[in-house]
Structures are given as structure tokens and as C-alpha cells.
Amino acid sequence: MERFREHAVAGIAVATGLYVAAALLGRATAVDDRSMSLVWPATGVAVLWFLTLTRRRTVAVSAVLVTGATIAVNVATRSAPGPQIAVLVVASLAQVALVVILVRRWCPELGKRGGRPPLETPGSLLRFLAAAALGCFFGILLGLVGLQLAGASFAPVSGLTWWGRNVCGVLAVGTAGLLLIDRLTTRRDRSATPYGGRSLEAATLIAATVALVGLDYGTGQPFAFLLPATTVWAGLRFSPLVVSSHAVLGGVAIIWLTLTGHGLFTDADSATGNALLAQLFAGMTIMIGMFLASARQQSIRLSAELDQRRRDLEAFARRAAHDLQQPLMVIAGWTGLLDAQLSAASNGSAPPDRELDMVRRIQASASQMRLMVSGLLSDAIARGGQVTEERVDLTVLARDIAESRGHADVVQVDDIPLVAGDGPLLRRVLDNLIGNSLKYVGPGERPEIEVTGRRHRDGMVCVTVTDRGIGLPEGSHQTIFEEFARAHGDAYPGTGLGLSICRRIVERHGGDICARSRTSGPGIAVEFRLPAWQTHAARPTHGPEQRSPALATSERH
């Protein structure tokens, strides 16, 4: 508790010092005979101060300190007579309170993690802007009414300038301060950030910004109008904290140029008009950067969430498929034993048909379930993991598959150009396609399969698996590549996942796959394209001696 009090006292002391410094800086930018300051970062400091407070006692103490500091700065700089200073103090406290209340209500994510920046989405940033604009509007409206009652008069443009400078102060100081607090208080894996390794680019960005301001100041030409372009550059390339800091730098540059009689805003009829235009330009620049940064931040977060969900789904599919194999093997074992016992109990007579039929239905269902589980595991493997790039000899793979299936005599494999890809995954494609060609033949017919390949000028290799089987029904040549699509229904065993797995693997390699009917007889030809092996670098060639353990579960359509 004692340590907490020490930290609270130190924090309040630092906040008070920053508020006084910001108020004095604002008073130093007074531009007309009515002491209208061009900038007022003190509002942003006060909003940031109160947004980080969580205890009522510290809120009350801070309110007293802000009141005293505001009075002291206005008295020391002789900004206005005593009654008007009182009005200014009340208006300042009112607008800070309104902004803080609205931000906490409209940006609830800010309070959940103690200073979390309102940059999760463009929508949350827009709500933060609306809270700043609305809170400052009502606070300044209260101030204008009070000053009128105290004998002062203000032109409408002065009121707009007052409002614009305070909103810009809240946006610049508030967003940058919240981002900085979040960076200092939140532990993150810096190695996973997408913004690393851009120090040179960041230095170039800052140098370009400074150069534009320097050219504007030195030549008298309005080079500062290009500052929004550097803000867009920052928003598309850097973290929100860097974007916020750069946007504040750009806003300060515009204000400085205006104060020194340079820049874009020196042609208005009055200094107040120049101030208003400068505020609008600075606010626009800040918001451009913030919206781009928040949109990019949201895109990065959503992409990370989708990747995590995909990994979780793949892991679940692998675990489920693996865990289901054991009970299915138990079911198959017990039903096989039951089948043998029923046959033995008949003592030479015919075994009971009803009981045997029930047992064999269970065996058939368990076998189908094992195929389905194997297919789901294959689908998970095809979806996940990195696709490696190695030199793959599809000719060797196809011949090895035909041999391992015991059908080397009916599978003719021509020489196929080398391709670049993941050997185990491409083996799965060939295994599924050759397996389908062996399966989908008419009763009593001998399968005939050809595997050919040719290289195209576009750097792709087209591989064709042709059979003389039963072919495909009309209109099903595209739908067979969808999950669980089965062109021939239950007439042939399968799960409907084999060809969808083939399509997924081929597309992950940057290729495509299609099926067409043979023009010279029954059967189909399935064609898929893969990138050709383009280099002679010494990389391994994937053949039968380099098989992935995952191939043991190769699913067949």
C-alpha cells in the first residue's frame, strides 16, 4: 500500500508538471490581441491524466491540482481579468470531464486493461474522436456563454479556433500518450511484431518530413502541403505509436510554420483565421495517420486470430482423428471375434443369418468410419503446415505408388518434368488420383491408367492421370472437387474427401486442377499444374526413399 501511494504521488507530480508546461507552451502561442492561443496541448494532457486514474481520491486531488495550475498559468501570463479567468478554469475542467466521461462510455476497451489505446479498430478511433469533439464543444460553449456574461466578446471564428485547438490537443496528446503508456506497461513478444527491422525507413520518413518543413520555411513555397503524403506512408508501414508520433510532429510543424508567417496558412484576413485553418489541417493529418494505423492494426489482429483458429482446428482434427482410430480398431477386433464365434457355434450347420448380418453391418460401418477418420486427418495435414520447396520427381513417385498398390502392370507412367514442391503432399495427390482410377472401373473390367506430364512455356508442369473407367456423370466434373462430394453415391466406397484434398494441395503450390471426360472412350482425365523446377541448385530429390510418416494415413476418394 505504501509503495502504491509513493507511485501515485510521483505520477500526480509528473502529470502536474506536464500540465503546467503544456499550458505555458499554449500561452506562448497567443496570436491576437484577445490572447487566443494557437495550440493548447494542456487539454490533451489533462484528458490523458484523468483517463489513467482509477481511484476517486486521486481524481479529487488531481482536479484540485488542475484547477490551481490553470489559475496560476493564466494569472502569470495575464491572459484575462479575474472573472474571465474563473470562467476559463470552469470551462477547462468541464470539457476535460465531459471528454473523459464520453471516452470511458464509448471506448470501454480503454478501461479494461488500464490504459489500452483506443486504436483497436477504426470504429473505436472514430468514437474517441467523437468524444473529444463533443466534450470540447460543450465545454467551450459553456466558456463562451460565461465570458459573454463576464463582459467579454468573441467572434464565431475565435470560438471555432478555441474548439479546434482543444480537439487537436486531445487527439495528438491523448492518442500518443495512451499508446506510449500501453507500450511501457504491456509485455509483448517483440519478435512477433510485423514492424521490426524498419529503423532505416523510419529515419528516412522523419528526414523527409523535416525536409518538407525546411523547404517550406526556407523557400517560402508551400511544400508543407505534402505532409499528408508522409502521414499516409507512416500509416501504411509503421506501428500506431510511430504513426501517432509522426502525426504529432507534422501537426507541430504546421503550427510552427503558421506562427513564423510561413506555410500554407498565412493569407487569411486575420491571425485567428490562419489559426483555424492550421488547426483543421493538423487535425486532418493526425486523423489520416491514425485511421490508417488502426485499420492496419485491425487487419493484422484479425489475420493473427484467423491463423490461430486455423491452427486450433487443424490440431483438433489431428487429435480427433488419432483418438478415434483406437476405439474403431477395438470395434473391428470385437466384431471380428464375434463373427468367428457365431460361425464356430453353428457346429457345422449354417450360422444364424440375422446375427451375422448385424455383425457384418457393424464391421462395414466401422470400416467406413475408419476411412472417414483417415480422410479428416489427411484433410488437416493438407490444410496446415508450411509447403516446402524441393525438387520432386513425380515419375518416381507415381511408379512407386503403382508398385505399392500391386498394380504396376496396369499403371503406365511416362517421364514427367521435375516440379518444385512438397514431396509428401504431392505424393498424396498422385496416390489419391491413381487410387480413384483403380477403384472406379466396371465390374470384371481391368483398369488401364496413364500418368503423363509436359512442361508449358509459363513455367508450369501439367500432369495428367487418365483412366478408362466408368467416367463421371454429366455436370459433376467441377463439383467432385468439393468436400464430401461423391459423384457415384454409395455405389463405391469412399468419403468424398480425396479430390478436395488434391485440390487444396495443388492450390497451395500455386497450381490448379480440373477433370474432363475422355473424348476417345469411357473414363476421365484429371489434370493438375505445378511449378516447374527452375534451378539446378543442389537440393534433394523427393523419391520413394524419402517418405513422410504422414503418408501412412493417405486418404483415397
Side-chain angles (χ1 to χ4, degrees), residues 89-143:
V89 170
V90 172
S92 297
L93 289 175
Q95 71 176 346
V96 169
L98 285 170
V99 172
V100 170
I101 291 172
L102 291 176
V103 168
R104 290 193 180 280
R105 180 177 293 273
W106 293 346
C107 302
E109 69 274 12
L110 192 65
K112 290 181 179 179
R113 299 182 184 178
R116 184 178 176 186
L119 285 172
E120 290 295 318
T121 63
S124 64
L125 179 62
L126 187 61
R127 291 192 295 271
F128 184 83
L129 170 63
L134 197 59
C136 289
F137 174 78
F138 282 109
I140 291 166
L141 182 62
L142 176 63

Side-chain angles (χ1 to χ4, degrees), residues 469-515:
I470 60 174
L472 289 171
E474 189 69 28
S476 64
H477 293 74
Q478 293 299 323
T479 59
I480 58 172
F481 294 101
E482 298 175 0
E483 287 85 352
F484 303 107
R486 302 186 63 193
H488 299 284
D490 295 331
Y492 292 82
T495 63
L497 286 171
L499 289 178
S500 68
I501 291 172
C502 291
R503 181 183 65 177
R504 185 169 293 109
I505 292 173
V506 170
E507 289 179 349
R508 289 186 67 195
H509 281 77
D512 50 58
I513 188 170
C514 65

